[in-house]
Amino acid sequence: MAAVSGMSRISGLCRHAVRQTAALKTPRLLQQRRSFIVTAVQQQQQPFDSSLEKPQFPGASAEFVDRLEFIQPNVISGIPVYRVMDRQGNIINPSEDPQLSKETVLNFYQKMTLLNTMDRILYESQRQGRISFYMTNYGEEGTHIGSAAALESNDLVFGQYREAGVLMYRGFPLDLFMAQCYANADDLGKGRQMPVHYGCKDLHFVTISSPLATQIPQAAGAAYALKRENMNRAVICYFGEGAASEGDAHAGFNFSATLECPLIFFCRNNGYAISTPTNEQYRGDGIAARGPGYGMLSIRVDGNDVFAVYNATKEARRRAVAENQPFLIEAMTYRIGHHSTSDDSSAYRSVDEVNYWDKQDHPISRLRHYMTARGWWSEDDERSWRKQSRKTVMEAFERAERRLKPNPELLFTDVYQEMNPTLAKQRESLFRHIQQYKEHYPLDLYEK
Amino acid sequence: MAAAARLFIRGAHSTLAISGVGTGKQNSLFKLSAGCSSRLKAQRHVAHFTFQPDPPTTEYGATQKMNLFQSITSALDNTLASDPTAVIFGEDVAFGGVFRCTVGLRDKYGKDRVFNTPLCEQGIVGFGIGAATAGATAIAEIQFADYIFPAFDQIVNEAAKYRYRSGNLFDCGNLTIRAPWGCVGHGSLYHSQSPEAYFAHCPGIKVVIPRGPLQAKGLLLSCIADNNPCLFFEPKILYRAAVEQVPVDSYTIPLSQAEVLQEGSDLTLVAWGTQIHVLKEVANMAQEKLGVSCEVIDLRTILPWDTETVCKSVARTGRLLISHEAPVTGGFAAEISSTVQEECFLNLEAPIARVCGYDTPFPHIFEPFYIPDKWKCFDAIKRMINY
């Protein structure tokens, strides 16, 4: 029976299936549900054999059934949320403790809090009109650091825009974060994109773009190319639960499964896409439940638990590379900040709701509880680190603000690798123009 | 829905294949049908052009008789042989493609290099961008140019802007997207389109269209070698109809360079793809019937286009006719026309003429009336000369 033959290979997935259907308490349905999921992960078409008394349809490997029954989506009792420590930072199941060293955990904490400090300062700077736009990472710091730490440093990252912590973990300098937001002459992106559209070739972090989900099929293509290089590299692709509604998400999931790409899809399900709550975004069991439909191993984790995120990513990364197949991690979290500086989230959700996540279930405070309990972190450490991190961020901030903007000539380069005659003509025309009308342009702010 | 339509056209093409293959009489068939009875015209697709092969060249070594689909295969073969990172993918490319452009390549180079994707154009282009970003040479196929629109976002917002927006940290310059293009006699709304003008408005990509097998191979190899994302549109009506001598080895024909195919002094004719063959015939008609000497230019690259060659020609002839199959409003002829008007205002002796498709969807049974055929172009020349 196909259901049995496929079983061992996808045992993880079946455990989910069992848990999901346990609530139904119907062995028959359970059996159907299992074969349904096993069918979904079949990658090989069954060889044609007309002598067998079973369905011969090439499109699926399944048994006949003589009763009309629709498969029910299991939304009430969804895929469980994997968790390693509770809200007070206590390890729940010691066998799941990643046993990270003090040094590693301190690094996690410092990167998460440094990101938080940078967020506060840049958010304020936008409120004061010093930068044009900003998006904070409040509440999602754990998803960034936990996943980034589980990757190899040369694994390729495709992101959406709320994953600055991944760059922070990889050591992207504060000066370059600021340079991008200020679009000054130090910006690696040459001041062309809106703030928070970071990118870094050396840190293998592909430049962010605004169109949602476009990076998802791209990540599949990159993973395919890396697989062919056979250099033991994986790709991770981050996106929000809202972006998962885009057609490109469907494309990326399906392509990565059929083309067997070493890729981790990491969905940050923070409950909102700007003002749209998830019940207007989807009606299934979140994003994780879609994975099996694409034949993809999937898991849901507590996104405020940095160790749960770390463990899931670590294992997904190991298996993705070893087995050349994609994994889907859905990290449940909560978007504590506004969507962006152009949004006031109190227009569509309550302050109480936000406060709960900020005060009672936050990735940073949870990790701090863990560290405190081990005697790795004290009030004094906290005070001095806050002071020091704030100082470092402020210094970078001031340096960035003082710096000139890039030469306006950079408006014309990199459209193509080479400058074509038409574009060269347009550049000359701008130069002639600002020569004549220089008092009407902010030339002093730009490099010459 | 799209899939059903594709199956239909596939069937139509296999019929064409049986009637045309191995006879070596495609050219005469088309000439013949041009003068056939009107009853036959209504049933079968009738060529509105006569393919005119390029003069044979020995510049690039040994040549072989190839039709356009074979010259595409030859270019892809050369690429896979010389570039171990190169991969070819799209819908149904593994068995050789619905137009036979990838026949034999999977067997020769392996299924990890020539493979089918799920049926999803935005996925194909997104996947290609990612592969190119990670350093592979990615050659994506969109089964018909008519179905490139689901990938419009990936092409316009992503592929075209990748290098610029990242400050040249990342690029997808190794991406080439091939797609069958143009009318085919009976392709109707979704197997006939010429979407180049949509892409001409998009800085960052290159758009290239060849007129025959020799051009196709050289230009495609240039697209693949070029460090910018390229769209390569293959006039599908020429896949089997156009046969000429094509070098077996790799060679390139430069992008963004128009080619003067025929020199003339009274009037400049500009087109690309199949329409070049229409205009060459029109030039002969103009010479014979009106004593008008036409200069025929194949633009070859739509973006970035060769303004210099076109403007130089018009500065001499003083008259310009541009012709394309795509609808006139917002078509690429408008761009050429306004640029030439800016650059050659003092030389122009008549308004620039655009002989294009009408501003309607591409119709099925009315195709003979829709396309900018030689009589429409000839009439426009007559009016320009008498202006």
Side-chain angles (χ1 to χ4, degrees):
Chain A
M1 199 173 98
V4 176
S5 65
M7 198 71 83
S8 58
R9 198 166 60 81
I10 51 144
S11 57
L13 203 56
C14 281
R15 275 206 301 278
H16 280 314
V18 173
R19 267 184 237 144
Q20 283 176 325
T21 45
L24 298 172
K25 301 214 179 354
T26 320
R28 200 186 137 74
L29 261 181
L30 177 67
Q31 188 52 52
Q32 276 182 14
R33 175 72 174 165
R34 279 174 157 183
S35 46
F36 174 71
I37 290 190
V38 170
T39 300
V41 298
Q42 288 296 319
Q43 293 181 351
Q44 298 294 323
Q45 217 161 287
Q46 293 298 301
F48 180 77
D49 181 358
S50 62
S51 67
L52 294 175
E53 267 308 310
K54 63 185 286 272
Q56 296 293 333
F57 310 108
S61 169
E63 299 299 313
F64 283 121
V65 59
D66 59 11
R67 267 184 56 195
L68 175 70
E69 251 168 327
F70 291 99
I71 303 296
Q72 295 205 30
N74 202 338
V75 180
I76 307 292
S77 167
I79 296 173
V81 183
Y82 170 68
R83 196 181 217 199
V84 172
M85 60 179 162
D86 65 19
R87 281 173 213 158
Q88 284 71 46
N90 304 308
I91 298 290
I92 299 161
N93 176 356
S95 67
E96 295 291 317
D97 185 346
Q99 311 267 9
L100 299 172
S101 68
K102 175 181 172 185
E103 192 189 18
T104 307
V105 175
L106 286 187
N107 182 40
F108 281 16
Y109 186 75
Q110 292 189 334
K111 291 285 162 61
M112 284 159 73
T113 46
L114 186 62
L115 174 63
N116 189 267
T117 306
M118 182 178 84
D119 274 351
R120 282 170 206 285
I121 287 168
L122 286 176
Y123 182 82
E124 282 311 312
S125 87
Q126 195 285 331
R127 298 281 93 171
Q128 297 164 11
R130 298 160 91 152
I131 60 175
S132 61
F133 178 79
Y134 195 69
M135 299 175 108
T136 63
N137 301 278
Y138 301 151
E140 300 182 45
E141 296 90 343
T143 61
H144 306 176
I145 302 299
S147 57
L151 300 170
E152 295 297 320
S153 59
N154 65 349
D155 286 342
L156 192 59
V157 180
F158 285 81
Q160 179 166 305
Y161 51 60
R162 213 182 295 283
E163 296 92 7
V166 176
L167 269 174
M168 188 70 88
Y169 185 84
R170 288 192 170 188
F172 196 58
L174 284 172
D175 282 312
L176 290 181
F177 279 112
M178 304 284 176
Q180 201 283 327
C181 290
Y182 269 97
N184 69 26
D186 295 329
D187 175 21
L188 301 174
K190 305 182 187 170
R192 291 170 182 149
Q193 289 211 83
M194 281 173 77
V196 313
H197 290 57
Y198 310 114
C200 183
K201 180 102 181 156
D202 294 341
L203 299 177
H204 309 286
F205 189 99
V206 178
T207 301
I208 299 297
S209 71
S210 307
L212 288 179
T214 48
Q215 80 279 15
I216 300 177
Q218 293 172 14
Y224 190 87
L226 295 189
K227 173 175 81 167
R228 287 201 66 241
E229 276 182 12
N230 202 19
M231 298 289 281
N232 187 30
R233 286 176 72 191
V235 173
I236 191 165
C237 177
Y238 296 91
F239 52 94
E241 90 286 350
S245 295
E246 293 279 3
D248 277 338
H250 165 64
F253 298 162
N254 199 24
F255 275 54
S256 62
T258 60
L259 298 170
E260 299 169 1
C261 303
L263 169 57
I264 303 162
F265 290 114
F266 193 107
C267 177
R268 297 174 293 96
N269 188 336
N270 62 18
Y272 290 91
I274 306 188
S275 72
T276 306
T278 53
N279 71 339
E280 293 169 21
Q281 197 64 250
Y282 52 72
R283 284 298 162 97
D285 175 24
I287 308 304
R290 296 178 197 171
Y294 291 99
M296 188 155 51
L297 279 100
S298 307
I299 194 169
R300 175 174 280 156
V301 304
D302 182 343
N304 297 341
D305 178 346
V306 69
F307 296 145
V309 172
Y310 174 85
N311 281 354
T313 313
K314 189 94 182 158
E315 179 64 0
R317 200 262 169 213
R318 185 186 69 76
R319 291 191 60 186
V321 173
E323 300 161 17
N324 282 324
Q325 61 167 325
F327 284 74
L328 172 62
I329 299 173
E330 181 184 28
M332 306 310 289
T333 180
Y334 186 84
R335 195 195 79 211
I336 292 174
H338 301 301
H339 164 69
S340 74
T341 49
S342 310
D343 170 54
D344 173 9
S345 66
S346 68
Y348 50 82
R349 62 181 186 179
S350 77
V351 179
D352 288 350
E353 181 184 316
V354 177
N355 275 340
Y356 166 78
W357 295 99
D358 194 18
K359 306 289 182 248
Q360 293 180 53
D361 193 0
H362 197 286
I364 291 180
S365 54
R366 205 190 294 193
L367 187 62
R368 194 173 152 199
H369 288 316
Y370 174 89
M371 290 155 61
T372 310
R374 268 153 198 75
W376 292 353
W377 197 252
S378 67
E379 277 297 326
D380 285 347
D381 292 331
E382 180 71 15
R383 253 194 306 278
S384 71
W385 168 243
R386 278 198 184 199
K387 206 171 149 191
Q388 188 198 329
S389 58
R390 195 176 157 77
K391 185 164 170 282
T392 333
V393 174
M394 282 308 294
E395 282 168 3
F397 176 79
E398 281 159 14
R399 278 195 298 274
E401 199 166 48
R402 280 199 302 270
R403 194 84 171 79
L404 287 174
K405 308 294 180 205
N407 188 318
E409 180 189 27
L410 294 180
L411 150 64
F412 294 99
T413 56
D414 303 328
V415 177
Y416 295 94
Q417 189 189 42
E418 68 284 350
M419 170 78 60
N420 66 57
T422 308
L423 212 42
K425 236 171 112 178
Q426 292 173 15
R427 181 179 58 180
E428 296 319 308
S429 131
L430 172 69
F431 289 169
R432 270 197 313 278
H433 175 77
I434 53 181
Q435 213 47 40
Q436 198 179 343
Y437 293 90
K438 46 171 98 54
E439 66 276 23
H440 303 296
Y441 294 91
L443 285 171
D444 296 347
L445 305 178
Y446 292 79
E447 282 199 329
K448 302 248 180 328
Chain B
M1 198 173 66
R6 281 172 222 199
L7 272 173
F8 175 74
I9 194 106
R10 242 175 260 168
H13 273 279
S14 56
T15 323
L16 183 67
I18 291 158
S19 68
V21 92
T23 62
K25 287 183 187 165
Q26 287 95 333
N27 291 342
S28 56
L29 177 73
F30 282 118
K31 276 178 202 149
L32 184 69
S33 36
C36 268
S37 77
S38 56
R39 196 158 51 99
L40 194 63
K41 272 183 192 173
Q43 292 168 358
R44 288 280 301 162
H45 94 93
V46 171
H48 60 285
F49 66 95
T50 305
F51 174 72
Q52 317 211 2
D54 277 345
T57 171
T58 49
E59 200 185 331
Y60 309 111
T63 63
Q64 200 176 302
K65 206 170 176 186
M66 295 184 201
N67 63 23
L68 194 139
F69 84 63
Q70 290 162 335
S71 81
I72 298 293
T73 314
S74 175
L76 297 175
D77 191 354
N78 293 151
T79 303
L80 290 169
S82 64
D83 177 357
T85 73
V87 288
I88 296 170
F89 51 90
E91 295 156 13
D92 307 300
V93 300
F95 86 111
V98 299
F99 288 111
R100 319 310 291 150
C101 291
T102 51
V103 167
L105 296 177
R106 182 185 177 93
D107 290 340
K108 192 166 172 187
Y109 296 101
K111 60 183 178 16
D112 69 317
R113 302 191 65 192
V114 181
F115 50 92
N116 290 337
T117 65
L119 204 165
C120 179
E121 286 76 12
Q122 64 202 92
I124 292 170
V125 173
F127 183 90
I129 292 171
T133 302
T137 297
I139 305 167
E141 178 180 304
I142 298 294
Q143 203 161 73
F144 287 82
D146 310 67
Y147 304 126
I148 205 166
F149 299 109
F152 201 70
D153 183 43
Q154 285 284 355
I155 295 170
V156 173
N157 276 330
E158 295 292 316
K161 298 172 173 55
Y162 230 89
R163 187 190 299 278
Y164 186 79
R165 74 182 184 207
S166 70
N168 204 19
L169 293 179
F170 295 93
D171 69 81
C172 58
N174 291 337
L175 170 67
T176 303
I177 302 166
R178 300 173 35 242
W181 166 97
C183 76
V184 68
H186 53 276
S188 180
L189 285 83
Y190 306 112
H191 302 86
S192 307
Q193 290 182 62
S194 304
E196 62 272 16
Y198 291 102
F199 298 102
H201 196 56
C202 174
I205 51 171
K206 297 191 175 181
V207 182
V208 180
I209 307 174
R211 67 172 180 270
L214 179 67
Q215 292 286 311
K217 181 171 174 182
L219 288 168
L220 177 56
L221 285 168
S222 288
C223 284
I224 293 168
D226 195 86
N227 285 323
N228 299 286
C230 295
L231 298 189
F232 188 77
F233 289 124
E234 298 162 5
K236 59 181 159 306
I237 200 167
L238 300 179
Y239 272 140
R240 292 169 189 282
V243 182
E244 63 193 359
Q245 290 293 327
V246 177
V248 178
D249 289 338
S250 186
Y251 62 98
T252 56
I253 295 173
L255 305 183
S256 293
Q257 279 187 25
E259 184 182 3
V260 179
L261 296 180
Q262 182 176 315
E263 296 196 347
S265 53
D266 299 329
L267 202 141
T268 302
L269 301 175
V270 173
W272 48 91
T274 321
Q275 197 64 10
I276 275 296
H277 305 294
V278 174
L279 288 192
K280 278 177 103 173
E281 205 173 332
V282 169
N284 290 339
M285 289 161 69
Q287 186 68 61
E288 282 170 25
K289 297 183 200 274
L290 309 170
V292 169
S293 159
C294 293
E295 181 143 311
V296 181
I297 298 179
D298 181 0
L299 195 64
R300 300 198 290 197
T301 301
I302 306 301
L303 186 74
W305 67 288
D306 182 357
T307 49
E308 198 187 328
T309 300
V310 175
C311 290
K312 265 189 182 158
S313 171
V314 178
R316 265 192 314 105
T317 62
R319 291 182 181 84
L320 172 63
L321 181 149
I322 313 152
S323 182
H324 57 60
E325 285 176 16
V328 62
T329 302
F332 196 65
E335 179 59 36
I336 299 173
S337 169
S338 61
T339 302
V340 170
Q341 183 268 140
E342 271 183 5
E343 300 289 327
C344 309
F345 188 70
L346 295 176
N347 306 92
L348 285 171
E349 290 168 23
I352 296 168
R354 291 182 286 160
V355 184
C356 305
Y358 300 113
D359 289 337
T360 68
F362 200 106
H364 183 220
I365 203 65
F366 309 120
E367 177 165 329
F369 305 101
Y370 175 85
I371 53 173
D373 63 10
K374 61 183 174 189
W375 298 107
K376 292 178 186 171
C377 293
F378 176 74
D379 185 54
I381 290 179
K382 229 160 78 178
R383 280 184 279 117
M384 285 174 79
I385 292 296
N386 296 328
Y387 183 79

